[in-house]
Amino acid sequence: MVFLREGICPGATAQLIQALKDQNVVTVMHLVSADVEDLAQKCSVSYKTLVAVRRVLLAQYSPFPSNGADLYEELLGSTAILSTGNQKLDSLLDSGLYTGELTEFVGAPGTGKTQVCLSLAVNISCELKQKVLYIDSTGGLTASRLLHLIQNQVDGVEGQSEALQRIEVVRVFEVYRLLDILQDLRMSFTRQVSGARSSVKAVVIDSVSAVLSSILGGHQLEGDKLCRPGHWWGCEASSRTLVELRSQHSHPAPAQDRRSGSAFREAQCNYTEIISAAYQNKHRV
Amino acid sequence: MQRDLGSFPLPPGIRIKLIGSGFQSAEDLSGVRASELSKELGISKEEALEILQIVRREASGEESQQSVGLPSVRKYTALELLEQEHSQGSIVTFCSALDEILGGGVPIGKIMEICGAPGVGKTQLSIQLVVDAQIPECFGGLDGESVYIDTEGSFIVDRVTDVAHAAVHHCHLIAEASQDEVQREAAQAFSVSSILSHIYYFRCHDYVELLAQVHLLPDFLAEHRKVKIVVIDSIAFPFRHNLEDLSLRTRLLNGLAQQLISMANDHSVAVVLINQMTTRFGQVQSALVPALGESWGHAATIRLILRWEGKLRFASLYKSPSQKEATVPYRITSFGFRDVQPADPPSASPVNGDNPRKRLRTEDEDGQ
């Protein structure tokens, strides 16, 4: 929903915008779908200017259709598959983690989610020699355990310390900090020269629900109407950033989540809806 | 890059107004001045200025170290973390078997949860830990101070004095045996009164006080930099009584857990939480499980469950990201939390008589 504002395109003067507002044409959608002749008469604006503005806005805000075959070619060229290091897990994930995909690990406490995250970070760092960004929000990352896992794969102190250096760790305990980190990651990708070898290939977030669970879950019974849309903005915003991260920069992002209790069942359905909604949104603007 | 306005820490009322006026992302606000913004949204100029500061500071890049109240986040490589961990150390429990399965003791910078049935020794272990955190470095301790947040009223100072006496005695014995100058000096300085004076005690009567105390704790820790352990005994008690709204309870507990882990990380302290047990009813039989629900199970990094088996007490490491699951026996003596002696003469019978709750102080018992 893009609102019409002065300067949105050449020819959209303050006068024009005000006149359109008086006729209830507030967004680009309204302008594009309105009858131009009729509107030109009512606003007492020349037909030509209105048509020109409409054309520029259409060009600016409509998405380009793309060919299925082109998309497929692009996907083939840009996707890489990262093995997790565990054969059975790889076969479950159809040979590994795909770049451009979000993989989620869910489980009860003590089932081994942190261990899976640690071992896949170690595998990507040792076997594939790629950088991993590990975002820790639970305190479950102990570097000595990482070293232990690395020692099983790599011999020699040199190799081990190199492998340790390829794993970057950030500790965030608050949802806004998490969003800031993800945003910084996006900025760093856009700024990088294409083909840079030292970029991060995988982002592991352990765990998403630790930062989100203190915000989710209130009822409307709290009496605050503003609560409802405010509630899962956090979930929405973070999943949107995660989705955009992965679709624009094609690298896998396994996010560990923890689902238990009724407070999260609601979040669970919302989460999947939001991912599909966010994905659709991406193609609109 | 477009960053949605919903992802900034703005109050919900302001957010609704921004969306209503057509500002969707950070870019939309890029050319706007505070006066224009305040006119469009109908808010005061100061509020508009604040909004712009938050949005622009976050959007302007990674180097914004002096952001509005939130500390900057540093990226470490795993190698740096490893060095940090080695230098941090851990707090011993005086029960060597337990220390071994924990990987040296209670680790700094993590939350450890101790669960157990009533009377099994949770408060005793926490008293032992607040004393052990103060052991001087030359004896293998951390030479720190302790914070004890009491919600149940089970902190008895006489008991702490006894445990402190035993610890001081232990250190004196080591110093005398080794003849090391540094150790002798440290043993002189390490006395019962010094131990007691470095335990900071807070009493909270309900969950509101507990939340307030935890909220104020980071400032306290910033002033008292030597604190190495924070014990909350117990975290279950205020949340199990007088709190009917369970979803509120879950949210409060999760928020509390995040505050505690962030405090543990920023100030390098070990956080120990004492939890109670509840009964889970199954199809055929019921089991004793830690209280406060399933989602609380994710909050602690390490979980230790203490239980009875007949007349003996066992400690099981139930959840740990770096250690294997294991079970060890332990016992509570008049000197504190100790190992079970393997070659006990038959005359020194287990401390508990017929009533497992009462710990009799027998003279023929050689504690360590």
Side-chain angles (χ1 to χ4, degrees):
Chain A
M1 249 223 308
V2 187
F3 281 73
L4 289 171
R5 210 172 295 124
E6 179 191 340
I8 200 173
C9 72
T13 59
Q15 263 182 334
L16 178 62
I17 302 291
Q18 192 53 45
L20 288 173
K21 253 195 203 166
D22 294 335
Q23 295 297 322
N24 265 334
V25 174
V26 191
T27 63
V28 174
M29 273 286 279
H30 291 154
L31 179 58
V32 159
S33 51
D35 181 8
V36 191
E37 265 192 48
D38 197 31
L39 203 55
Q41 264 180 358
K42 284 196 194 151
C43 299
S44 52
V45 166
S46 97
Y47 179 70
K48 270 193 183 164
T49 23
L50 207 53
V51 164
V53 168
R54 185 169 176 272
R55 200 170 351 159
V56 174
L57 286 175
L58 263 179
Q60 258 186 332
Y61 289 103
S62 50
F64 289 110
S66 42
N67 193 325
D70 290 338
L71 275 180
Y72 185 60
E73 290 295 330
E74 197 191 311
L75 202 64
L76 275 186
S78 63
T79 308
I81 304 181
L82 307 176
S83 154
T84 57
N86 181 335
Q87 274 184 351
K88 300 254 173 84
L89 189 60
D90 277 346
S91 62
L92 204 63
L93 290 172
D94 196 12
S95 79
L97 297 170
Y98 284 59
T99 57
E101 266 190 9
L102 188 65
T103 311
E104 188 187 37
F105 293 98
V106 182
T111 41
K113 306 180 291 294
T114 306
Q115 297 303 312
V116 170
C117 285
L118 291 176
S119 54
L120 59 91
V122 161
N123 194 58
I124 295 176
S125 165
C126 293
E127 295 294 308
L128 309 170
K129 306 234 186 315
Q130 301 286 351
K131 265 190 160 186
V132 181
L133 175 66
Y134 196 106
I135 302 179
D136 185 21
S137 68
T138 54
L141 177 90
T142 24
S144 40
R145 175 73 180 144
L146 273 180
L147 181 63
H148 191 199
L149 291 172
I150 289 177
Q151 277 168 343
N152 285 339
Q153 294 203 5
V154 177
D155 291 324
V157 185
E158 283 282 327
Q160 285 164 8
S161 56
E162 268 180 27
L164 276 177
Q165 280 175 328
R166 280 191 285 261
I167 303 179
E168 271 186 1
V169 178
V170 182
R171 289 203 154 123
V172 280
F173 302 108
E174 215 242 317
V175 61
Y176 297 108
R177 293 277 102 197
L178 177 64
L179 293 171
D180 287 345
I181 299 287
L182 293 177
Q183 179 66 16
D184 290 345
L185 196 62
R186 281 163 85 184
M187 308 280 273
S188 68
F189 281 137
T190 49
R191 282 197 206 130
Q192 247 161 20
V193 180
S194 59
R197 291 282 221 79
S198 59
S199 68
V200 166
K201 258 305 174 200
V203 176
V204 180
I205 304 181
D206 174 12
S207 71
V208 172
S209 54
V211 287
L212 287 180
S213 51
S214 46
I215 313 180
L216 294 173
H219 296 301
Q220 290 96 314
L221 301 170
E222 284 185 15
D224 188 1
K225 277 185 295 192
L226 300 175
C227 259
R228 199 72 223 283
H231 267 157
W232 23 287
W233 71 263
C235 185
E236 186 181 314
S238 58
S239 59
R240 186 178 294 161
T241 10
L242 284 173
V243 167
E244 287 183 357
L245 250 184
R246 58 121 161 143
S247 45
Q248 287 165 5
H249 300 291
S250 25
H251 63 277
Q256 180 183 302
D257 216 325
R258 302 184 298 213
R259 296 286 153 79
S260 53
S262 55
F264 297 108
R265 261 177 243 133
E266 183 193 296
Q268 203 166 353
C269 355
N270 292 338
Y271 194 68
T272 36
E273 276 171 18
I274 285 161
I275 288 200
S276 48
Y279 199 50
Q280 287 163 20
N281 275 341
K282 186 238 166 191
H283 285 293
R284 220 197 289 167
V285 177
Chain B
M1 265 271 128
Q2 303 253 359
R3 186 169 165 187
D4 198 43
L5 276 182
S7 64
F8 290 107
L10 298 168
I14 300 282
R15 214 178 287 138
I16 304 272
K17 285 192 188 163
L18 281 168
I19 295 179
S21 308
F23 297 104
Q24 300 277 8
S25 70
E27 277 194 1
D28 292 341
L29 279 178
S30 55
V32 180
R33 284 180 310 177
S35 44
E36 293 170 0
L37 191 63
S38 66
K39 234 188 300 179
E40 265 207 57
L41 297 184
I43 53 175
S44 73
K45 239 181 163 182
E46 288 84 23
E47 285 182 30
L49 197 61
E50 219 181 279
I51 297 174
L52 287 173
Q53 269 181 348
I54 294 179
V55 171
R56 281 191 197 144
R57 199 158 282 181
E58 308 296 5
S60 66
E62 309 89 358
E63 299 311 310
S64 51
Q65 301 287 342
Q66 55 279 36
S67 35
V68 195
L70 296 172
S72 58
V73 187
R74 261 204 64 195
K75 275 194 199 170
Y76 297 91
T77 62
L79 195 60
E80 290 170 17
L81 267 190
L82 188 66
E83 287 160 10
Q84 210 182 50
E85 271 176 33
H86 277 309
S87 63
Q88 264 175 353
S90 44
I91 303 177
V92 293
T93 60
F94 264 100
C95 171
S96 53
L98 188 58
D99 286 339
E100 233 183 87
I101 63 167
L102 286 176
V106 178
I108 301 281
K110 309 262 184 261
I111 298 186
M112 183 162 111
E113 188 184 355
I114 305 176
C115 323
V120 76
K122 309 183 291 294
T123 304
Q124 299 301 311
L125 177 55
S126 56
I127 289 178
Q128 186 72 58
L129 288 172
V130 295
V131 169
D132 290 348
Q134 307 196 24
I135 294 177
E137 279 185 22
C138 51
F139 295 113
L142 293 178
D143 198 19
E145 300 177 350
S146 325
V147 168
Y148 196 98
I149 300 180
D150 192 3
T151 58
E152 286 179 344
S154 46
F155 187 80
I156 311 290
V157 187
D158 290 337
R159 180 64 179 149
V160 182
T161 321
D162 290 342
V163 172
H165 260 303
V168 167
H169 185 63
H170 186 84
C171 290
H172 276 285
L173 286 177
I174 298 181
E176 269 165 46
S178 74
Q179 313 269 343
D180 187 6
E181 265 312 306
V182 179
Q183 286 193 341
R184 281 189 177 208
E185 280 181 32
Q188 298 289 346
F190 188 56
S191 67
V192 176
S193 52
S194 83
I195 296 179
L196 290 180
S197 62
H198 290 305
I199 300 180
Y200 302 109
Y201 177 80
F202 298 95
R203 176 80 167 99
C204 298
H205 296 91
D206 59 17
Y207 76 93
V208 179
E209 282 184 37
L210 179 62
L211 288 172
Q213 190 57 54
V214 172
H215 195 75
L216 296 172
L217 210 48
D219 295 330
F220 182 84
L221 292 178
E223 280 169 39
H224 299 86
R225 292 189 173 278
K226 282 190 80 180
V227 173
K228 286 282 186 277
I229 184 171
V230 174
V231 174
I232 301 186
D233 180 11
S234 65
I235 197 153
F237 183 74
F239 285 99
R240 290 178 88 183
H241 304 276
N242 294 332
L243 194 51
E244 278 84 26
D245 188 358
L246 287 181
S247 76
L248 176 68
R249 184 179 96 169
T250 315
R251 263 177 298 141
L252 289 177
L253 282 172
N254 287 324
L256 196 63
Q258 286 306 101
Q259 277 184 313
L260 287 172
I261 185 74
S262 115
M263 191 169 64
N265 194 47
D266 293 335
H267 297 102
S268 301
V269 292
V271 177
V272 175
L273 306 176
I274 313 275
N275 196 4
Q276 297 168 348
M277 299 293 258
T278 182
T279 314
R280 185 194 289 162
F281 295 99
Q283 294 285 354
V284 180
Q285 57 187 48
S286 47
L288 224 51
V289 295
L292 296 181
E294 281 274 325
S295 42
W296 176 250
H298 297 289
T301 322
I302 304 173
R303 198 175 235 190
L304 198 66
I305 298 190
L306 309 180
R307 64 181 200 281
W308 291 100
E309 246 169 61
K311 293 209 168 160
L312 300 171
R313 304 166 201 248
F314 286 91
S316 313
L317 185 64
Y318 189 75
K319 175 185 173 193
S320 165
S322 55
Q323 303 296 323
K324 233 167 54 147
E325 290 172 15
T327 305
V328 294
Y330 68 93
R331 61 184 181 148
I332 313 282
T333 67
S334 57
F335 307 109
F337 197 85
R338 295 288 188 270
D339 268 310
V340 164
Q341 297 281 54
D344 247 10
S347 58
S349 51
V351 196
N352 20 307
D354 290 321
N355 185 355
R357 304 273 175 94
K358 291 271 188 260
R359 281 162 280 286
L360 307 166
R361 295 184 184 194
T362 52
E363 281 99 41
D364 56 340
E365 206 211 62
D366 300 59
Q368 278 275 25

